[in-house]
Amino acid sequence: MADETTGPVPPARRASARVARKRSTDTGEEAKAPKQARTDPPSEEPEASESRSSGPLQVGDALPSLELVDQSEERVQIADLKKVVIFTYPRANTPGCTRQAQCFRDAYDDWKQAGYEVYGLSSDSPKSQTTWSKKLSLPYRLLCDPKRELIGALTGTKSSTKRSHFVVGEDGKLSLSSIGVKPGESSSAALASVAT
């Protein structure tokens, strides 16, 4: 009889062991949940900064530390530029880009009077920029950005060059960013932003 009473005990013990294991597993899962909740916000911050850095520079942002050459192959430190207007154009010696460049050329004295230097910017080679500059008698420098590093920083894309203009203040930070502009209105619209 003693054997009969002790026979059912082990299954009962096994059952209570299963319940105990289940409880400890449940408790462990519950304990992990708050830890995951605590680590979620930090992982969101890098995502926010990544999406921010992949977009175009905003008003108040400084120009990136890059070195480009102009049409004469003279080096230009982009981060050092202050009180400048930079206009981007898809390709030298094409109708819309020529119109935009001519408008900046015709308003060059107004830009100088306002205390600003003018820079054109495209992915064209120095040779193409030089030919075009001479053809149009452009009085300002044309920056060559074959990898579209500055173009990408300003417009938010390196896949193409969007016709745009950007004004950089005396503090070296953007005071105007206009992406996707009409060639004949680019210079006058940018100039209006610095007129006193």
Side-chain angles (χ1 to χ4, degrees), residues 55-129:
L57 292 174
Q58 302 294 313
V59 169
D61 288 344
L63 292 177
S65 294
L66 293 171
E67 182 181 89
L68 298 179
V69 296
D70 67 7
Q71 75 271 28
S72 302
E73 298 193 41
E74 291 182 16
R75 296 176 181 181
V76 179
Q77 300 298 328
I78 301 305
D80 293 342
L81 297 178
K82 292 177 175 59
K83 289 199 81 173
V84 299
V85 59
I86 301 171
F87 69 94
T88 60
Y89 49 94
R91 191 172 177 188
N93 209 28
T94 55
C97 301
T98 295
R99 176 75 180 126
Q100 186 183 20
Q102 287 172 328
C103 288
F104 276 96
R105 177 198 65 193
D106 297 345
Y108 185 69
D109 288 340
D110 295 328
W111 279 106
K112 292 294 284 183
Q113 190 173 349
Y116 284 78
E117 284 294 335
V118 177
Y119 287 86
L121 172 66
S122 76
S123 60
D124 290 296
S125 68
K127 184 178 179 181
S128 297
Q129 302 273 45

Side-chain angles (χ1 to χ4, degrees), residues 1 3 6 28 37 41 45 62 72 104 110 118 129 161 173 179 186:
M1 292 209 98
D3 291 336
T6 55
E45 286 173 14
S72 302
F104 276 96
D110 295 328
V118 177
Q129 302 273 45
T161 304
K173 295 179 180 179
I179 301 169
S186 185

Side-chain angles (χ1 to χ4, degrees), residues 23-73:
R23 283 183 186 155
S24 68
T25 304
D26 290 345
T27 308
E29 286 173 3
E30 288 171 10
K32 287 178 186 174
K35 286 181 183 176
Q36 289 174 347
R38 281 188 218 114
T39 57
D40 284 346
S43 69
E44 287 172 9
E45 286 173 14
E47 286 173 14
S49 68
E50 279 174 23
S51 65
R52 172 67 184 80
S53 64
S54 65
L57 292 174
Q58 302 294 313
V59 169
D61 288 344
L63 292 177
S65 294
L66 293 171
E67 182 181 89
L68 298 179
V69 296
D70 67 7
Q71 75 271 28
S72 302
E73 298 193 41

